[in-house]
């Protein structure tokens, strides 16, 4: 009985290890993807900061696989709308997500 339990335990552990190896991590991104995102991010930052009512210190821009995320605070609703539109018009941007608050800036 003990030998049977030991064999069964070893088989279960082997299966767990094998299945864990299948899960793995997603494919790593290549250098070109990082460079593309960095270029898009820089261009979006320049476009967004050029919008009246948006200040560089109050707006974060992040890009991952062409998806841009804007987070921060702007002076008024029109500034938020214009910042989102400016980001969408940058070459290479696939989508713009945003969490922009309107009002007093810190």
């Amino acid at each position: 009985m003990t030998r049977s339990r030991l064999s069964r335990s070893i088989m279960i552990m082997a299966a767990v290890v094998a299945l864990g190896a299948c899960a793995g991590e997603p494919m790593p991104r290549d250098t070109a993807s990082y460079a593309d995102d960095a270029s898009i991010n820089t261009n979006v930052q320049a476009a967004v900061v050029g919008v009246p009512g948006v200040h560089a210190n109050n707006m974060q821009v992040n890009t991952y696989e062409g998806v841009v995320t804007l987070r921060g605070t702007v002076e008024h609703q029109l500034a938020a709308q214009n910042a989102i539109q400016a980001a969408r018009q940058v070459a290479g941007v696939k989508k713009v997500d945003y969490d922009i608050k309107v009002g007093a800036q810190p």
Side-chain angles (χ1 to χ4, degrees):
M1 275 276 199
T2 309
R3 188 172 189 166
S4 173
R5 271 191 166 164
L6 180 61
S7 292
R8 200 174 308 148
S9 294
I10 290 173
M11 287 176 44
I12 290 171
M13 290 177 74
V16 168
V17 169
L19 290 174
C22 291
E25 291 189 25
M27 293 283 293
R29 295 174 61 204
D30 61 1
T31 306
S33 294
Y34 284 110
D36 289 346
D37 282 344
S39 176
I40 292 168
N41 206 72
T42 299
N43 292 335
V44 169
Q45 284 174 334
V48 168
V49 171
V51 172
V54 176
H55 300 283
N57 293 340
N58 299 327
M59 184 64 64
Q60 278 185 315
V61 178
N62 295 304
T63 305
Y64 182 77
E65 293 184 354
V67 177
V68 173
T69 303
L70 303 176
R71 284 192 181 90
T73 307
V74 295
E75 292 179 2
H76 44 78
Q77 185 63 38
L78 184 59
Q81 293 169 345
N82 289 340
I84 294 164
Q85 187 60 32
R88 286 182 177 146
Q89 292 178 345
V90 172
V93 172
K94 295 177 184 173
K95 179 181 172 189
V96 177
D97 293 330
Y98 54 90
D99 180 16
I100 300 176
K101 304 210 181 338
V102 177
Q105 303 203 11

